[in-house]
Every structure is written in structure tokens, then in C-alpha cells.
Amino acid sequence: MTRRISKYKRFMMMNPIIQFFKFIYLSIKVLIVVAGGHGGTRNA
Amino acid sequence: MSKIVVLGAGIAGHVAASHLRRKLSKEHEVMVVSPNGNYQWIPSNIWVGIGRMKPKDILFPLAPLYAKKHIDYKQAKAVSFHPEGDSEENKPYILAEYVTGDEKGNQERVTYDYLINATGPKLNFEATEGLSPGKNKAHSVCTYTHAQEAWIALEGLIKQMKEGKKVKILIGTGHAKSTCQGAAFEYILNIEQELRRHKVRDMAEITWISNEYNLGDFGMDGMLMSYGSNIMKSSEMVEMIFEDRGIKWILEAGVSKVEDGVAHYETLDGAYKKESYDFAMLIPSFSGHGFKAYDKSGEDITDKLFRGFMIVDADYAPKPYEEWSVQDWPETYQNPSYSNIFAPGIAFAPPHSISKPRKSKNGTDITPAPPRTGMPSGITAKLVADNIIEMIKHSNDELHHKGSMGNMGAACIASAGFGMTTGSGVSITTYPIVPDYNKYPDTHGRKLGKTFGTIGLAGHWLKLALHYAFIYKAKMKPFWWLIPE
């Protein structure tokens, strides 16, 4: 096992308060990507 | 009045049927023909496979829902396609065989005006000698029953580890052309976390085995993504996670044979190797179901409908990797020979892989097949339903709803461990799914910003939220249609 994620980063990744705001941000961002429309490519 | 028959009740079939029923008046008939009696939310199978969810948490019976929503339902499997009818039946039909109840084994002609083939893949375990769920210590999480069996075996192994036994766990792809690396990726991270939770992590050597050329290929040729304020390759991100979790990896591996506790594989450099294990979860290759098709006179026209999976509006002309483009990929999922037949989701035949094709020195193709699971299945099913609705309402054969995987985003919220405060998720979005190297030449064919990755507890919450949201949607509860595919 090689530590590749620093203690600070791990704290940020697992802190429920920080991650709550990340959850809101992620939900919106994912929604923008996946519900942001789709279409054809041949007449673009 | 029109009759639309939907084959299959997975993500694509169920999405198509539910949108058709919501948008078409009752004078039109919507019928689902599927051998499965339950709807299952497949992305949560990995949590059944680690014992953190029960099968009942991820499925519900289809018959009561369809009865309530006025969707006709036959629990039967398609046997053959007859898109011109035959000498006795003028209308096009599929021959279906009941799989349960008093009618089990009986065959019936199911006529249609429009047909949606959403039969998904056949889990082609036979393509790898010795690979079968629950046999040779190798398992699958492709269905909830497979996942449940995998958990029973894993639970037994954890008991042995607590008694002091050191074990080897092998997770990945079970064939040189498997797809769905994402599911295996989720499962290996969830197992790793569960072993830590049971305080037996140091008793296990965990290894990833895959037909990918690089880590993080996922059958999509890898990704260049924004990661915080950095730009990172998906291979670098997965390598960071695996090293941090102490997971070893074997790449460029085409598993060809599985014996009791041993996986035999070939690598791109032509070497034949083997890896021993005490527990394995290997994703099989996917194939078409081997349907046959016949014209009105009874002549075999299977080649007009199928090339493994169903032929749609893709460019199937063989060409080298350097000449592949997003224009090769289908937009409407309509069969070119029969305009009333569509194949969304995994049921359509892709023009080629997305990842660069590679052959071993012995001539074996070792390349991930292109993924079409989950979100792309839902989107393509909805656009097929919308096109059919327009064809019915406006008697117009022009298809306005288009959705190429070269112009479509996708989200992969990969669970990396279960737990409300201890869980984790690797959230990745990509746009487009099929890289467009002409449009985004400097960013590996994808739009940065819309192609991003992040790791953390929020990813687990998001995956859990999607689990409940999509089961709510599938149950067609109030305002279900507001939840995007």
C-alpha cells in the first residue's frame, strides 16, 4: 500500500460538512452534464 | 390505433414503455414482452454483492405496476422476428414463448405496428471456458441473483480470513472483449472497504485484471478530465486510487479459461499466464441473443436485422481506427431495413469499439467492448419513444429526436465503499461518451469541465440518492417523468 492521498486531502474527502456542500455542487454539475441535451452528429 | 411492442424490461425497455404510456392516449396499445418478472436497478447490484443491500431493495415486480398503468405485459421471451408477417399473418410480429405459469413453453405471435428491441445483452459466460457464476470460485454481479451468490461466497471467505487464512481476490473482466469495467471497478473498491470494515484487509491480496490497455480506460479509450484545479488522465486517477488502497493490477489481459481458483489469460505481448485466487468476480463478454428473422415467405433475413446485436443507423463499414469518427455512431436507433423497428440501449450493434483496438501477438483481439449501459440506455430509449410518438401522432416518418453517443454526456458515479459517514464514491462525468477528436483535438476528444472526476463521501451519497430516485422513477410514482434519464 502506497499513500497517494494526503491526510489533508483525505480529510476533505471524508468530512461530512464539506462533503454536504460538495454533494449539492456535484448533483447540479452532474445534472448539467447529463440533462444538458444531446443530439445528432451528422448535420452538426 | 397503434400497437407498440417493447421487448425487454430493463432500463431501456422500461423507460421506453413508461414514456410511451404517459404520452400516448389509451386508444394506443403499449405492450412489454420480457422474460423477467422483476425490474432491477442494476447499478446497485454491487451493494448486494457485498451484503449491504438485499435483492428486495433493488427490485420490484413488474406485473402489478404494468396492470395499474395500463401497459400490457407478457412474461415471455422473444424467439424469432417476422417483420413482414408470414403467409398466415399479414401484420409484422415476433414469436414469443412464455417462460412461466400455465402457459410456460407455449408460443404466440405478438403482432405490432412499432417494435422496440430493448433485449439488452446475453451474458456470454460460455465464451470463457469454465466461467459460470458460482463455479470455480468465480462469481458475477451482473444480476441480483449472481450478486447474492457472490456475497454468500465472500461472507464465507471473510469468516476464513478472521480465522487466520490469507486469501487472494481477483476482480475484473472475464473475457478479452468484455465491457462494463466500471461495475468491476466499483466492486473491487467496495470489497476492499468491506475487508477493512471487518478488520481483515491485511489478510487479502486484491488484484484487478482487465482487458484495458491502461487503467481507467473503461471501454471509452480513457479520459482526460478536470480533477479539482488540475487536468488528469483517468489512468492516473485510477492508479492513484489503486495504489492508495493497496490493489495490484494486471492489464492487457484476455481471460480465456477459468479453472477451480485459477484464471488463465493471454496478454498483448502473446504470453500465456495464469493467476490463482480464492474468490473472483469476472465480468463476462456480452453478446446478442442469437435471434433469427424471417421474411414473409419464410426466408432467413437475420442478416438484415442483426450483426450479433441489432443493426441500426450506424456506419458499419470497416475502417481503421484512425478514420473512426463520431458520425459512425447511430442517432435514431432505427433499423435501416424496417423503419418501424428500433433498438435502444445495449441491444443496438455498435459500429466498432470506442477504445483503440489491439491484437495480441497470437492474433487475439484484446479490447474492451463499448459500454452502452445505464444512462445512455435510458436516453436512447426515451428518444426512440419520442420518435415513435411523433410518427403516430403526425403520420410522419421523419425522426426529429436524435442522440448520438458522440453528442451525449454520461455520468458514472462509481461507488468506492458503502457507509453514510465512511463511504466513498468516484464521480466521473464525460462529454461526449464517444470522443470527438475533431471538435476537441487538444483534450483527448472530450470537453474539459463537462469531463471531470472527483473522489469523496459526496459521491457515495449521490450514488445512494440516484438509487432511490431511479427506483422511484421506475415505479412511475407521481411526477416520475421529471427525473432525467
Side-chain angles (χ1 to χ4, degrees):
Chain A
M1 211 168 286
T2 310
R3 181 180 291 175
R4 289 287 307 271
I5 299 172
S6 67
K7 281 186 176 175
Y8 171 72
K9 264 281 185 203
R10 201 180 301 277
F11 168 77
M12 298 288 280
M13 284 175 181
M14 301 308 291
N15 182 293
I17 298 163
I18 295 166
Q19 289 296 310
F20 173 75
F21 292 104
K22 189 79 181 265
F23 172 74
I24 306 285
Y25 168 78
L26 255 182
S27 303
I28 295 166
K29 191 144 187 183
V30 166
L31 200 66
I32 289 169
V33 173
V34 302
H38 50 266
T41 53
R42 291 175 194 154
N43 298 319
Chain B
M1 180 201 139
S2 295
K3 179 178 176 183
I4 305 108
V5 171
V6 182
L7 298 180
I11 291 177
H14 188 67
V15 162
S18 50
H19 281 286
L20 284 164
R21 187 65 288 164
R22 185 176 80 84
K23 293 178 179 174
L24 285 174
S25 62
K26 297 290 184 292
E27 65 172 333
H28 303 290
E29 190 180 348
V30 178
M31 177 184 284
V32 172
V33 177
S34 171
N36 298 321
N38 293 316
Y39 177 85
Q40 59 167 325
W41 180 242
I42 292 171
S44 296
N45 280 353
I46 46 125
W47 287 334
V48 175
I50 56 160
R52 301 303 291 265
M53 278 194 176
K54 301 285 180 203
K56 68 177 174 55
D57 299 324
I58 67 164
L59 62 83
F60 61 85
L62 287 166
L65 177 72
Y66 285 161
K68 188 177 164 191
K69 297 292 178 183
H70 307 287
I71 295 171
D72 294 334
Y73 170 57
K74 290 181 190 294
Q75 193 171 346
K77 63 178 182 184
V79 176
S80 56
F81 289 60
H82 304 260
E84 299 168 9
D86 60 20
S87 54
E88 294 171 18
E89 175 60 64
N90 279 330
K91 290 194 78 174
Y93 72 89
I94 57 122
L95 191 64
E97 183 178 308
Y98 288 90
V99 297
T100 187
D102 296 339
E103 291 184 290
K104 186 176 178 181
N106 289 352
Q107 295 192 340
E108 180 184 330
R109 289 186 176 101
V110 180
T111 60
Y112 61 84
D113 296 302
Y114 297 92
L115 179 68
I116 298 178
N117 173 19
T119 44
K122 177 189 168 195
L123 301 174
N124 196 14
F125 289 103
E126 306 89 73
T128 306
E129 188 183 337
L131 184 65
S132 180
K135 288 187 180 167
N136 293 326
K137 301 191 186 94
H139 299 270
S140 151
V141 289
C142 294
T143 70
Y144 59 86
T145 48
H146 294 170
Q148 178 74 358
E149 288 167 6
W151 166 237
I152 291 167
L154 185 63
E155 192 179 25
L157 199 68
I158 290 171
K159 276 185 190 158
Q160 292 178 33
M161 291 158 79
K162 285 179 177 172
E163 289 163 4
K165 185 183 178 186
K166 293 220 170 199
V167 303
K168 291 175 82 174
I169 293 174
L170 186 68
I171 309 290
T173 53
H175 188 268
K177 296 177 85 172
S178 292
T179 181
C180 239
Q181 287 78 9
F185 175 67
E186 289 187 272
Y187 196 53
I188 197 169
L189 296 179
N190 271 271
I191 284 184
E192 197 276 334
Q193 168 141 332
E194 285 305 299
L195 296 188
R196 275 189 281 131
R197 191 169 74 89
H198 287 279
K199 304 191 187 330
V200 290
R201 176 64 185 91
D202 57 335
M203 303 301 286
E205 180 185 310
I206 306 178
T207 305
W208 171 257
I209 188 165
S210 172
N211 54 358
E212 300 160 298
Y213 186 69
N214 287 313
L215 286 173
D217 181 285
F218 295 130
M220 298 195 296
D221 224 7
M223 282 157 278
L224 191 69
M225 56 171 70
S226 30
Y227 180 82
S229 55
N230 301 320
I231 296 172
M232 189 185 253
K233 288 180 183 171
S234 54
S235 56
E236 294 165 342
M237 187 168 94
V238 174
E239 184 180 316
M240 177 182 79
I241 296 166
F242 278 3
E243 282 195 343
D244 194 67
R245 298 275 194 108
I247 295 169
K248 298 175 178 177
W249 61 86
I250 299 165
L251 294 174
E252 307 168 12
V255 174
S256 55
K257 184 178 171 185
V258 173
E259 291 176 323
D260 188 23
V262 182
H264 296 262
Y265 64 95
E266 180 186 347
T267 53
L268 280 177
D269 59 13
Y272 293 98
K273 299 179 179 176
K274 58 185 178 181
E275 183 72 17
S276 61
Y277 61 82
D278 298 283
F279 174 93
M281 197 293 291
L282 300 170
I283 303 276
S285 65
F286 290 177
S287 72
H289 292 269
F291 295 126
K292 289 281 185 188
Y294 301 94
D295 69 6
K296 199 168 184 64
S297 61
E299 287 288 311
D300 190 321
I301 53 163
T302 304
D303 290 350
K304 281 173 88 173
L305 258 71
F306 298 100
R307 40 179 291 147
F309 293 98
M310 183 166 259
I311 294 169
V312 293
D313 60 319
D315 181 354
Y316 294 109
K319 57 183 98 168
Y321 172 74
E322 292 70 26
E323 291 174 24
W324 289 0
S325 81
V326 288
Q327 282 79 25
D328 300 341
W329 287 78
E331 297 181 332
T332 62
Y333 308 90
Q334 184 182 43
N335 179 262
S337 302
Y338 298 96
S339 62
N340 59 345
I341 299 180
F342 297 82
I346 306 174
F348 81 82
H352 41 66
S353 64
I354 300 174
S355 300
K356 185 174 181 176
R358 290 180 170 90
K359 272 188 197 292
S360 76
K361 284 187 178 170
N362 311 311
T364 309
D365 283 315
I366 303 179
T367 309
R372 288 99 79 203
T373 49
M375 217 207 68
S377 284
I379 289 180
T380 54
K382 183 170 184 283
L383 76 88
V384 162
D386 285 337
N387 277 328
I388 290 174
I389 290 164
E390 280 197 2
M391 289 167 91
I392 292 170
K393 286 186 175 174
H394 307 296
S395 302
N396 181 0
D397 283 350
E398 199 176 331
L399 306 180
H400 293 105
H401 299 273
K402 293 178 179 178
S404 162
M405 282 170 58
N407 187 6
M408 182 190 297
C412 174
I413 313 299
S415 173
F418 193 96
M420 283 310 285
T421 55
T422 55
S424 183
V426 181
S427 309
I428 298 172
T429 66
T430 179
Y431 179 88
I433 300 167
V434 177
D436 188 338
Y437 294 102
N438 291 326
K439 209 167 177 180
Y440 309 108
D442 302 327
T443 50
H444 201 72
R446 302 227 169 68
K447 185 172 183 173
L448 285 181
K450 279 189 167 184
T451 303
F452 73 93
T454 184
I455 310 168
L457 180 58
H460 172 68
W461 292 344
L462 190 56
K463 171 114 183 161
L464 204 57
L466 292 175
H467 165 90
Y468 290 112
F470 280 108
I471 288 179
Y472 180 93
K473 180 184 169 76
K475 287 182 175 174
M476 299 173 77
K477 292 197 169 182
F479 304 107
W480 63 267
W481 39 271
L482 288 174
I483 299 170
E485 309 315 323

